[in-house]
Amino acid sequence: MNKTYKIMTYGCQMNENDSEKISGMLKAMGYTKTEDEKTAGVVVFNTCSVRENADVRVFGNLGAFKSYKKTNPEMVLAVCGCMMQQPHIVEEIKTKNPQVDIVFGTHNIHRFPELLTKHLTSDERVFEIFEDDDGLVENLPVDRRYPFKSYVSIMKGCNNFCTYCIVPYTRGREVSRPHENIIAEIKALAADGCLEVTLLGQNVNSYGNDRQDDYHFADLLRDVNAIPGLQRVRFMTSHPKDFSDEVIDAIAECDKVCPAIHLAVQSGCTAVLKAMHRGYTKEHIIALVQKIRSRIPEAAITTDIIVGFPGETEADLEDTLDVVRACAFDAAFSFIYSKRTGTPAAVMENQIPDDVKHQRLNKLLACLHEIGADRNAVYQDRDVSVLVEGTSKHNPGRLTGRTKNGKLVNFDGNPESVGTIVTVHIDEAKTFSLDGRQV
Ligand code: SAH
Ligand code: SF4
Ligand code: F3S
């Protein structure tokens, strides 16, 4: 029997974290990892549905497996993740993608070993999707990608129902993990040599709101900060409506908590924000960012922005550009609004034509890049501390890593410093990264 596997992961850190668990379960079943999806015994697609092109990519890549399975008939093809929580997608897998053997969703990844065994013993296609959680499953084996840094999910799901977004439908309601379990997990990671953790949630600032113990995100940051051995604590994503003064104080006061804040604003126009159901205004964003910058001067603040939301006007886009300039974001992911079936915005009137969306994206990008370059320029000729994450494929003496506030640094250095924190002198500050040499 071919006991090798390959996992193809699409989407966000939640999916990467889930894939590490799927990998952990497969290893526990005696499987070993391979890089070649054509010859693997088990292939898992962990899918994302956040924008239409994510769906299109997955279906495109799945198509190739019709022929791979002809040359490798033993192969088991499993598909999971956010796409599978939508009935119309599962239907398409059922009817048009017979090469897929197993389908499961985001709420039952812990059931994968059982589903795999069921398929292997019956040779039937296995479909199992849960509509929502059947409780938190703790302590799944995790096959971590890096020994020195790790994702730690602190909550799952989302209750915000932003009108454009599919995530609340694919990930279910917000459930925070008990803080004792999170702390225990991070203590074990730190004892194992892990230097950096990234606390994950769709909206980390609302951590604990669904629990009765009056323990919130600021409390968690302080307790994680106290864990011996750990060097850096990151977290994402922050939602502007729930960013409390307690959290700002905790970031400012905790030496290990990185001043890297991914504050997804989505738009700078109050009317658009209202239609998006985001729960804050243009003025709130600007005041919040000013407060963060004055309390935490070294903070790098990054964001997500959507252009072309239904009904957005040129004047609305100007509001967004105002906010980008007033907040001086260090960097941003910007997206063209994509219609998601089943979300309120998909049936709103005044959908924006594609060419207009593209023009607006270009305008936004020009503005973001200018500001990003300015924000990086201050690092020119300075020494920064970098957690070294790896070497360049083409040149092992060329290393890459991140500063405490999240800046990407490429530099010449000792390959043996991968997995440690080193000092780098910055020779050239670029728009998207910093270039330098280890000192
Ligand atoms: N929970 C996070 C974001 C998760 S999705 C938050 O609220 O910030 C990641 C990003 O994808 C979002 O921030 C948003 O900018 C973008 N996004 C989500 N749905 C989208 C859609 N329908 N079209 C375009 N971009 C979208
Ligand atoms: Fe989507 Fe909004 Fe939830 Fe983020 S907060 S996952 S954008 S619904
Ligand atoms: Fe995509 Fe699901 Fe993440 S839709 S962005 S993988 S939560």
Side-chain angles (χ1 to χ4, degrees), residues 50-51 164-165 202 237 264 266 278 304 306 335-338 340:
V50 76
R51 282 169 292 276
Y164 50 82
C165 184
Q202 294 301 346
T237 298
Q266 314 299 356
R278 289 291 290 183
D304 289 353
I306 298 174
F335 307 106
I336 285 182
Y337 167 72
S338 168
R340 308 316 289 134

Side-chain angles (χ1 to χ4, degrees), residues 1-5 30-32 34 36-43 72-76 116 120:
M1 191 179 160
N2 179 352
K3 292 199 90 169
T4 61
Y5 72 95
Y31 282 82
T32 53
T34 168
D36 184 4
E37 67 265 25
K38 291 182 193 156
T39 59
V42 174
V43 174
N72 177 11
E74 245 194 302
M75 178 196 287
V76 178
L116 178 57
L120 289 171

Side-chain angles (χ1 to χ4, degrees), residues 213-254:
D213 50 11
D214 198 27
Y215 184 102
H216 298 281
F217 188 53
D219 303 309
L220 184 67
L221 284 177
R222 289 182 191 277
D223 284 348
V224 175
N225 189 64
I227 294 175
L230 201 64
Q231 298 292 324
R232 290 178 168 191
V233 182
R234 300 189 181 283
F235 55 92
M236 68 188 307
T237 298
S238 293
H239 193 306
K241 87 179 155 67
D242 297 310
F243 214 110
S244 64
D245 290 353
E246 286 77 14
V247 169
I248 298 177
D249 287 343
I251 302 168
E253 289 161 20
C254 294

Side-chain angles (χ1 to χ4, degrees), residues 31 33 35 120 129 142 152 165 168 186 230 293 351-352 426-427 430:
Y31 282 82
K33 214 180 248 178
E35 282 313 308
L120 289 171
I129 316 282
V142 184
V152 175
C165 184
I186 301 175
L230 201 64
R293 290 220 190 272
Q351 297 282 334
I352 308 294
I426 301 303
D427 295 313
K430 301 179 169 177

Side-chain angles (χ1 to χ4, degrees), residues 398-417:
R398 195 81 184 141
L399 307 180
T400 179
R402 289 197 185 261
T403 64
K404 208 165 171 195
N405 67 3
K407 301 278 177 191
L408 179 66
V409 183
N410 296 309
F411 61 101
D412 291 325
N414 179 356
E416 281 175 20
S417 49

Side-chain angles (χ1 to χ4, degrees), residues 205-346:
N205 303 72
S206 69
Y207 170 79
N209 291 358
D210 58 312
R211 298 179 58 80
Q212 310 308 322
D213 50 11
D214 198 27
Y215 184 102
H216 298 281
F217 188 53
D219 303 309
L220 184 67
L221 284 177
R222 289 182 191 277
D223 284 348
V224 175
N225 189 64
I227 294 175
L230 201 64
Q231 298 292 324
R232 290 178 168 191
V233 182
R234 300 189 181 283
F235 55 92
M236 68 188 307
T237 298
S238 293
H239 193 306
K241 87 179 155 67
D242 297 310
F243 214 110
S244 64
D245 290 353
E246 286 77 14
V247 169
I248 298 177
D249 287 343
I251 302 168
E253 289 161 20
C254 294
D255 59 324
K256 295 175 188 171
V257 174
C258 296
I261 300 173
H262 189 64
L263 181 74
V265 301
Q266 314 299 356
S267 167
C269 166
T270 300
V272 173
L273 289 166
K274 185 151 191 263
M276 289 177 161
H277 196 231
R278 289 291 290 183
Y280 52 86
T281 60
K282 176 181 183 180
E283 291 70 29
H284 174 83
I285 303 170
I286 296 173
L288 174 63
V289 168
Q290 273 170 358
K291 190 155 66 174
I292 296 171
R293 290 220 190 272
S294 64
R295 185 84 169 84
I296 314 166
E298 70 281 20
I301 304 179
T302 53
T303 194
D304 289 353
I305 295 174
I306 298 174
V307 296
F309 184 81
E312 182 191 66
T313 65
E314 291 298 327
D316 295 344
L317 181 72
E318 288 304 322
D319 277 336
T320 298
L321 299 180
D322 282 350
V323 166
V324 167
R325 286 185 284 254
C327 296
F329 292 116
D330 288 78
F333 294 111
S334 24
F335 307 106
I336 285 182
Y337 167 72
S338 168
K339 246 190 200 183
R340 308 316 289 134
T341 306
T343 63

Side-chain angles (χ1 to χ4, degrees), residues 158-162 164-168 202-203 239 266 278:
C158 182
N159 289 350
N160 291 305
F161 287 95
C162 303
Y164 50 82
C165 184
I166 198 74
V167 172
Q202 294 301 346
N203 173 6
H239 193 306
Q266 314 299 356
R278 289 291 290 183

